[in-house]
Amino acid sequence: MSFLSLGVEASDYSVPIENCVKAAEAVKNNDAALLKPLVRDLNPEEEKAMTPYLAKVHTYYTKGSYQGIRNFRTKDVQVIENAKTSIYQDTRENAEKYNYDEEIWVNYSFDTSRVDKKDAVKSGQCKFAQIGGRWVMMNVLN
């Protein structure tokens, strides 16, 4: 069973927190160059797919279901220990595939509007793992 710690001191995970903010900027501005250093090393096929994937995420958050990313803010950090045995399937599969033990979830929210023009707050997690000695983003604004 996986252990989930809530409210871990943000200063313990300053790099993932900063990288979550950078990821939001990358999505907001459809900037693959800003996103690239945040993700794991990609094979040539994955590298080629990154730009269209980011464009799809950008459209979803700025012209699709949501109408922009405003006032992006991080909240607390959750630590998923023993990621290889996590109850969360994506975490477990990624931990096994990329051989890491701990996943960090940076909780975030931002102001936006929905397609119906009503103001809304969207929240989610930026998920990170340490792979090859660096913090690597495992998702893009999930």
Side-chain angles (χ1 to χ4, degrees):
M1 183 164 194
S2 178
F3 180 76
L4 178 66
S5 299
L6 296 173
V8 174
E9 295 229 4
S11 60
D12 295 342
Y13 299 103
S14 61
V15 171
I17 292 167
E18 290 169 15
N19 287 348
C20 184
V21 174
K22 289 177 186 175
E25 285 299 311
V27 169
K28 183 177 177 179
N29 297 309
N30 196 19
D31 186 346
L34 184 57
L35 186 63
K36 186 177 178 182
L38 307 180
V39 300
R40 64 182 166 71
D41 295 334
L42 304 176
N43 66 41
E45 186 177 299
E46 292 169 326
E47 179 105 18
K48 187 177 179 182
M50 187 168 90
T51 299
Y53 173 75
L54 180 59
K56 181 179 175 181
V57 175
H58 167 78
T59 298
Y60 177 77
Y61 283 115
T62 62
K63 300 173 189 146
S65 296
Y66 299 96
Q67 303 296 303
I69 298 174
R70 297 183 303 280
N71 193 23
F72 186 88
R73 55 213 175 263
T74 60
K75 297 191 266 184
D76 56 354
V77 172
Q78 296 171 259
V79 179
I80 310 297
E81 296 177 346
N82 304 317
K84 292 176 185 166
T85 60
S86 173
I87 61 172
Y88 305 105
Q89 183 177 350
D90 287 346
T91 296
R92 187 175 61 248
E93 289 174 355
N94 282 332
E96 290 170 1
K97 183 174 182 178
Y98 300 110
N99 194 29
Y100 62 85
D101 296 315
E102 184 178 79
E103 193 168 276
I104 307 305
W105 293 6
V106 178
N107 295 304
Y108 69 81
S109 62
F110 60 85
D111 300 328
T112 189
S113 300
R114 295 190 176 272
V115 177
D116 61 9
K117 306 295 183 203
K118 290 186 179 178
D119 288 341
V121 175
K122 166 72 173 117
S123 60
Q125 298 92 20
C126 293
K127 299 177 182 179
F128 294 90
Q130 262 197 335
I131 300 174
R134 69 181 184 99
W135 287 107
V136 175
M137 179 169 258
M138 304 308 293
N139 72 333
V140 179
L141 297 189
N142 186 18

